[in-house]
Structure formats: C-alpha cells, structure tokens
Amino acid sequence: KQEVTQIPAALSVPEGENLVLNCSFTDSAIYNLQWFRQDPGKGLTSLLLIQSSQREQTSGRLNASLDKSSGRSTLYIAASQPGDSATYLCAVPLRTGANSKLTFGKGITLSVRP
Amino acid sequence: GAVVSQHPSWVICKSGTSVKIECRSLDFQATTMFWYRQFPKQSLMLMATSNEGSKATYEQGVEKDKFLINHASLTLSTLTVTSAHPEDSSFYICSASKGGTGNTIYFGEGSWLTVV
C-alpha cells in the first residue's frame, strides 16, 4: 500500500527566504507525482506535475524535483512571499493510467511572515 | 484551462436528511471522477471512483449505501449523503482527469457539509 509522508506538518519562514518542502513515498512504481496548493477551506490547485521519466519541473518561482529510486520529491519555493502561505500537498497515482486515483500526503502548512 | 465545478459550496442540513453534491467538468469530458473527503487538518482521503454509465467503485470502509454516487453523463457526477449524521460533517472534494499524456488532475472547489 502506497504511503505518502510530508514532514514537517507546518513551517513558518520570513518573507524572501528560499525554502524546500519535502515529500516521500513508499512505493517507487509511480506514474507521476503532483504538487498541489490548498488555501484554507478551498479546493486544490495543481502546481506542478512531474512524470516518472522526469527529474524536475519548473513554474515561475517553483521547482519540483523527483527521485523515484529514493522515493522522494521536493518543492522548492524561491523568494517566498506572504501570498505563498497555504498548505502544500503532494500526491501520487498508483501505477499507470490517466485516471488513477491519488494518494495524498497530509500536507505542509506554510506561513510566510511579512 | 480545465475547470471542475462543485455545487453547493457549503450546506447545512438536519441529521437524518439527505444532501446531494454536484461535480461538473466544465470544458472537458470526464469518464472518471473521484470523490474525496477531508477532515480538518487531515489529508484528502479517497472515498470512491465515479465511472460514467456504470457503478462507482468504493474504497474500503466507505459505505456505498450511505454515499450514493451517480455519474449519469460525461460532465456530471453527484454524491448524495443519505441519512446524514453529524460525523458526516466534512469537506467533500471531487476531481477529474482530462486524460491524455499529462494526467493533470483538476479539483473542484470543494463542498462544506455541516450536519446539525
């Protein structure tokens, strides 16, 4: 059974700091890995999706890496801003298929202090 | 971009009544949609997979007679919480995949259910 872990559960940093959010998974046979952002009481917004054949993806100030062999992914946020405050979740689908169900980590709640 | 819409955004109902939540893919067809539940400060837990034109597939521990799922068209899936109890109060989110090589999953805005 796939398990996705995100530690720590919460993180507080001053504005402008570069930071890394970690995600680990137990079954390395993943199709891809996706990072989401969730604002309080809201749905999820997809940030980055890394295919199993890729090592990283970038979008603006965000960079996500994937190391399947070690079962790890990181989300790097450059020059953090108060607007980045949210919960960040990583998720993996099991095996192949465009419609695979996702297993989520519990998320990391990020607070960026002005 | 692709959008998945949920309705209602929040609902309060009395214990023992039933509540229906809709999930729509607005600009793409989704043969499969997923329903998740999220309790405060917890992660999303998959409840069931909704398949267009066939029965939903429920995860272990989820009562199919309590959480009725209907996927009558390629753009609409509904989740009905029957005989709701206070412990059913939660945040319910649906998702759909546009398919193709990207497999990006799009989530609805979520629906807050409070059972009193």
Side-chain angles (χ1 to χ4, degrees):
Chain A
K1 178 184 175 183
Q2 178 74 274
E3 292 183 3
V4 179
T5 303
Q6 292 183 257
I7 297 174
L11 184 64
S12 179
V13 300
E15 181 177 4
E17 188 164 301
N18 302 325
L19 59 104
V20 174
L21 306 180
N22 296 306
C23 170
S24 62
F25 46 93
T26 55
D27 186 344
S28 61
I30 60 172
Y31 188 60
N32 57 45
L33 183 143
Q34 199 160 198
W35 282 92
F36 294 89
R37 169 182 172 142
Q38 185 178 30
D39 290 290
K42 302 292 185 181
L44 276 67
T45 301
S46 178
L47 297 174
L48 289 165
L49 181 147
I50 312 176
Q51 299 294 342
S52 61
S53 59
Q54 298 174 322
R55 293 194 65 85
E56 66 177 66
Q57 280 284 338
T58 298
S59 176
R61 294 183 294 106
L62 305 179
N63 177 280
S65 68
L66 175 63
D67 184 342
K68 279 182 57 178
S69 60
S70 66
R72 294 179 183 176
S73 175
T74 61
L75 178 67
Y76 174 83
I77 303 177
S80 58
Q81 304 170 358
D84 295 330
S85 299
T87 297
Y88 292 82
L89 300 102
C90 65
V92 296
L94 288 176
R95 307 295 174 178
T96 60
N99 292 325
S100 294
K101 47 194 177 184
L102 297 180
T103 299
F104 283 86
K106 289 188 176 181
I108 298 173
T109 300
L110 172 66
S111 175
V112 181
R113 308 186 300 272
Chain B
V3 178
V4 174
S5 177
Q6 272 184 251
H7 177 82
S9 299
W10 57 271
V11 58
I12 301 174
C13 71
K14 290 185 177 180
S15 187
T17 62
S18 296
V19 176
K20 180 185 288 187
I21 301 171
E22 295 185 347
C23 178
R24 294 181 184 272
S25 55
L26 297 185
D27 61 355
F28 66 98
Q29 294 181 332
T31 56
T32 305
M33 292 184 177
F34 302 92
W35 285 96
Y36 293 83
R37 179 168 55 184
Q38 185 180 34
F39 291 107
K41 298 191 181 298
Q42 298 296 315
S43 186
L44 283 75
M45 296 299 295
L46 180 68
M47 298 176 66
T49 303
S50 173
N51 304 298
E52 187 269 335
S54 63
K55 292 182 179 180
T57 304
Y58 290 82
E59 294 301 300
Q60 189 174 8
V62 178
E63 299 176 59
K64 62 180 181 181
D65 293 331
K66 180 171 183 62
F67 298 100
L68 300 179
I69 292 173
N70 185 284
H71 197 152
S73 76
L74 287 171
T75 59
L76 174 63
S77 175
T78 60
L79 168 68
T80 300
V81 183
T82 63
S83 187
H85 289 275
E87 56 264 33
D88 298 325
S89 299
S90 184
F91 189 52
Y92 293 86
I93 312 179
C94 69
S95 73
S97 171
K98 198 173 183 179
T101 58
N103 194 37
T104 300
I105 306 293
Y106 298 93
F107 281 80
E109 307 96 327
S111 300
W112 280 102
L113 169 63
T114 301
V115 184
V116 298

